[in-house]
Amino acid sequence: MSAPRFAPASDYARSQSTGYRLLPFRFTRIPGIENVLAVNEVGEFLFIEPADFIAFVGGGLSPAHPAYADLQSKHFLVEGEPTTAVRLLAAKYRTRKSFLRGGPALHVFVVTLRCDHSCRYCQVSRRPAADTGFDMGDETADRAIDLMFQSPAPALTVEFQGGEPLLAFPQIKRITEAAAARAGAEGRAITFTMTTTLHQITDEILAFFQRHDFQLSTSLDGPAALHDANRPLPGRDSHARTVAAINRIRAALGSYRISALTTLSRASLDRPEAIIDEYVRLGFPSVFMRPLSPFGFAVRADQRIGYTTAAFLDFYRRALNYILDLNRRGIRIGEAYAGYLLAHILTPFPTGYADLRSPAGAGLGAWVYNYDGGVYASDEGRMLAEMGDDAFRLGSVNDKAADLLQSPAMQLLLASGVAEALPGCSDCAFLPYCGADPVFNMALESDPIGHRAVNAHCAKHMGLFNILFAKLAEADPFTLRVFLSWALQRPLEPDDEATL
Amino acid sequence: MRTCYAFADRCRHWIEAADDARLTVGFRRNKQNTDIEAIKGDFADALIDFAMRRHIENQTAVIRNLIVAAALAEAGAPPPRQN
């Protein structure tokens, strides 16, 4: 006898005696906010008064109640036959998960481990600039390119990392030219990016960046004293050299080609205004407040430069308020990570940010080719291997893409990287906006699933979502416009000042 | 169980069946300076929220599965390319 095709009729019964049925959603309470935050399966949200919420969940909310129409229009409840609502929600759900369609699109080439800096918080494994044996060879590079083009992704992004990647510029040039030619032949879009200190820039390199439309990212930790303390060079001039290189790139390629992020050490935490002012002074449209990562040298330096998640969140709240204040005064500056989170909250679209995906971005969205031919699910997975745990090593450049996708590492990622199935995440209201990070969990807890009650990834993101949703609940019109401009990555409209 | 899981950063719990309809939950704080009375209050509030979550899940599980199945069924992805 075959299995029944439909659930029992009782499963489709309407909620109690009223005329509506609940649609799937989750809820939470934001500290300091009286109303309950409800978030449906596809990330649409609303705040609702506690008494109304109880009536709604119990099936007793009157259609005449003002909240009823909001709940209906945002797909928290449905009257009658749910087929149309299911199809609409399915279309939105598919849009939110559209990052799954193309396969790995981000391909990170670690062309060298050599670096001229000795940053205390460095999350990568670095070697002195003069060392040998830590650069990617031609054969490894060629095989990595072959592997990248086995991905079905119609649009590929190649990111060069190190060490300091520009110390291996000849290999970067080789890979870029080969990948660009092949993308052209296959009719695929390709974008080149690089994370670099910029200190090795030459006219030849600038012309090369121009030719291949490189998007560059560098580290700028704030004012000179803070930056130079975090990123020591023998000449104690890292900040001056970085700023000079930024200006040179802007003059040659345009200001939009270079962005910066700040890594926060303990010394940064009492200086959010100074860090932001430095970004404003240098003309950046946004600042990326990135906490320390639990990998590489940062682990060993944690006693000296580390801090708690609570301390980071206090810093972040202060920084965000200052940024909003600057915008009120007509100074346009955004916070990049808030931009990612708000894009997830305020739009139906996913972002390219791998840490905020479920299923996890590692392996499914990105592959990392190490200088020695190892292929990893993420840069953090590569770092974990440097720390002695190769759980997220997919294989080598000699393997086929299909083999990498069936590797034990990928199976581990799939078993532990779907937030919808993780304890503590499955009933979290922020689930549609957040993601699973098995590599981070493995690094901190020796367990890819992680224990949510003590999990640093969870504590950080719960804190950030609480900060942002508290602002959304306050519903200050100017703040909402600023948030929307960050989410949509468009400038604030000129008449937005009129709302002040 | 979900409520105990959410509070595992603050205290340890043990659960015993008091009778057929009731459970007894015991608390032991993780840190000396933890205010166990405050935690009991927060736990009671959270328990009600988790009961509501379970109610919502039970009411909406079938439709949730339909949404996810419909979304993924129409999203066939291409296989890896052969070189």
Side-chain angles (χ1 to χ4, degrees), chain A residues 23-85:
Chain A
L23 291 170
F25 71 94
R26 300 173 180 86
F27 71 94
T28 191
R29 298 170 199 274
I30 305 295
I33 303 297
E34 187 186 347
N35 288 348
V36 177
L37 171 66
V39 181
N40 75 7
E41 194 65 22
V42 297
E44 292 165 317
F45 70 91
L46 53 75
F47 287 95
I48 181 168
E49 289 185 18
D52 298 338
F53 180 71
I54 290 168
F56 158 58
V57 173
L61 191 70
S62 163
H65 193 284
Y68 191 95
D70 282 346
L71 289 161
Q72 190 174 22
S73 67
K74 291 195 171 182
H75 292 112
F76 285 83
L77 65 83
V78 63
E79 292 176 347
E81 172 60 39
T83 306
T84 304

Side-chain angles (χ1 to χ4, degrees), chain A residues 11 21-25 27 29 41 53 57 87 89-90 94 101 146 150 152 182 186 188 427 451-453, chain B residues 2 5 9 49-50 52-53 55-56 59-60 62-64 67 70-71 74-81 83:
Chain A
D11 283 359
R21 182 202 317 259
L22 298 182
L23 291 170
F25 71 94
F27 71 94
R29 298 170 199 274
E41 194 65 22
F53 180 71
V57 173
R87 292 201 67 82
L89 289 166
R94 187 161 53 246
R101 273 188 63 83
D146 280 345
Q150 288 177 41
R182 189 145 166 193
E186 295 189 10
R188 292 208 240 183
D427 50 17
H451 186 191
R452 224 60 59 215
Chain B
R2 292 189 201 186
Y5 184 84
D9 58 328
D49 279 355
F50 276 106
M52 285 182 77
R53 290 187 180 105
H55 170 76
I56 295 163
Q59 294 264 315
T60 62
V62 172
I63 290 184
R64 170 177 283 133
I67 292 167
E74 296 171 15
R81 298 190 183 201
N83 279 339

Side-chain angles (χ1 to χ4, degrees), chain A residues 413-432:
Chain A
L413 283 163
L414 291 172
S416 57
V418 181
E420 284 81 351
L422 296 181
C425 294
S426 63
D427 50 17
C428 176
F430 304 130
L431 173 68

